Every structure is written in structure tokens, then in C-alpha cells.
Amino acid sequence: MPVARINGTTLGYDVYGTGEPVVLVTGTAAPGRVWRSHQVPALRAAGYQAITLDNRGIGPSGPCEEGTTLADLAADVAGLIDHLGAGPCRLVGFSLGAIIVQELLLARPELAVQAVLMATCGRADALISAMAAADVELCDSDVKLPPRYAAYVQAIQNLSPRTLNDGQRLQGWLDIFEMSPVTPAGVRHQLGLQAIADRLSAYRRVSCPCLVIAFRDDLIARPHLGREVADSIPGGSYTEIAGCGHYGYLERPDEVNSAIIDFFARPRRSPARRMP
């Protein structure tokens, strides 16, 4: 994996294929390689170049230290786009990665031509705030959950009833979760970043076409929160995919990939005038 020096830190990234670039930004504690199973092959088959990266805190990228902000993570993505000469480009973000993309669209609008925002929000409601605080408290407590228990909790939080009720599929997920436990200490300062202040009014200044994808059974970024983002972005569009939870891009990859590629294939409109 190549590594670039960006904004005073190191960022690990991968570039797949050729064509118009699509930069994929993932969520809390996740490495960029999560896109490789489904989204990277689909984008390459559609003629795009896929660029993935590891956010700060995920090796080989540098640490996510105390005081790291969403603006820092958005600047990292922008810096990588500049480093690769990939702008203006398309962006895809998931969960925290979608919020990072939203901040990039405000800070560096010239770098984006289209963006897909999955499992996102524009404000932290009571549940998101409680989850973020609880994650930080658990990390700081030094309590280590047994892997089997942690896998079960991760499944309940992130998968749909469709998967939870299918014993064979569920076992596959549980095996993955148990073999690939999240190590909270390494991403301690990513954990609270999704508890954002209300940014919906700021998103009225977003000037590129955006598609918000929500997952109907998502218990973390519940669909109405994504719809709020789509409604706030001028010309924003919204779609909701059934039969999947927070990890919908992995549970229902064919439907998600079709939504992304169909959106990218739409004729591009001229950027909207930025509101003051």
C-alpha cells in the first residue's frame, strides 16, 4: 500500500484501475480495504478508477490524536486528492466517512463533481450522542469485551432482521466480527466525531449533486436523518434500500452499487450558486 505525507501525517491509500476517479471514504474504525469486496470491483467494471484510503488512526496511516477534528479528516481527503491530481472527482462516503465528505464539499467544493453519502446524518440526535459517549466511555474504561460477545453486539447494531433471521448468513457475519475485532484504543479520537452539531443549514451551501442512500433497518444512522441531509442540499436526491442495516453497503451490495453507478451516470448539471 502506498503512503503519502498529507497535512503533517501519513495516509495509506490504494488506487484501483483507470478512468474517472472515485474516492471512497469509510466510517469509524474501518480500514479502506472494506471497499475491496464489492464497491471497488463494481466501480472498475463501470469504467471508473477507485481510490480508497485509511483515515487517521487506521494503519498505515498516522494516529488519530486528541484534538483531531472532522475538518482535519476532510482536509486529509482533500490533500490526498490534490496529491494524486485526482480532482475534481466523485466521492463516496459511509457513516463517519459520509460526514467527512460533507465537510469536504463545504471546504473544498472545487474538488467534487458528485457525491454519494451513505448512512449519514447532518446532526447528532439523542441516540447518536448517547452512542458516541458510550463508545468513548467504554474505550476509556479499558474493559475488554470477550470476542464472541463483541461480535454479537456488533451484529445486533449493524445488521438487518433479514440477515439476523438467516442462521447461515448470520454465522458468516459473526465469524468475521469475531476474527476481526475492533481495537478501540487505536481509534479513540475517531469515536466521538459522529456526534456533530446541527450542520443542516450549512449544507445549503453544497454546490455539487449529491445522492443520500439510507438503509431502512439502520439503527445507527436512521433513515430520517439521511433524508434531512438530502433535503438540505440544493438538488439533493434520496433513496432508501430495504432489507439492510447500518452495513447496508455490505449486506445488499448489488442494490447499493447500482444506486451509486446509476447516479454517477446522470448528466451533470452546472454547480448551484453557493449561498452566502
Side-chain angles (χ1 to χ4, degrees), residues 9 14 37 104 115 131 145 147 155 198-199 207:
T9 191
D14 281 303
S37 295
L104 183 150
M131 287 189 294
L145 298 176
D198 192 328
R199 298 287 286 158
S207 58

Side-chain angles (χ1 to χ4, degrees), residues 18 31 99-100 102-103 109 126 132 162-163 180 199 210 215 224 259:
T18 59
I99 300 173
I100 293 169
Q102 287 155 205
E103 294 303 312
R162 177 175 178 266
T163 298
S180 307
R199 298 287 286 158
C210 293
F215 305 129
H224 73 277

Side-chain angles (χ1 to χ4, degrees), residues 153-218:
V153 171
Q154 195 173 357
I156 289 290
Q157 289 178 334
N158 293 290
L159 302 177
S160 67
R162 177 175 178 266
T163 298
L164 296 175
N165 294 334
D166 182 329
Q168 186 172 357
R169 290 190 72 209
L170 174 60
Q171 190 58 57
W173 281 98
L174 291 172
D175 291 343
I176 291 170
F177 293 153
E178 191 171 344
M179 290 186 295
S180 307
V182 175
T183 53
V187 293
R188 163 66 175 77
H189 301 296
Q190 282 189 18
L191 294 177
L193 292 178
Q194 198 158 350
I196 59 172
D198 192 328
R199 298 287 286 158
L200 294 173
S201 62
Y203 296 157
R204 295 176 189 146
R205 303 197 308 272
V206 171
S207 58
C208 83
C210 293
L211 170 66
V212 174
I213 300 177
F215 305 129
R216 188 163 300 168
D217 298 319
D218 192 339

Side-chain angles (χ1 to χ4, degrees), residues 135-151:
D135 285 341
V136 170
E137 186 173 350
L138 177 61
C139 181
D140 290 347
S141 72
D142 291 328
V143 171
K144 185 176 180 181
L145 298 176
R148 187 177 298 177
Y149 180 82

Side-chain angles (χ1 to χ4, degrees), residues 94-96 119-121 123 125 127-129 131-132 135 153-154 156-159 194 215 217-225 245-247:
F94 163 72
S95 194
L96 176 63
T120 192
C121 66
R123 61 182 179 89
D125 65 358
L127 183 57
I128 288 176
S129 298
M131 287 189 294
D135 285 341
V153 171
Q154 195 173 357
I156 289 290
Q157 289 178 334
N158 293 290
L159 302 177
Q194 198 158 350
F215 305 129
D217 298 319
D218 192 339
L219 299 178
I220 295 175
R222 280 139 293 130
H224 73 277
L225 297 171
H246 192 61
Y247 287 169

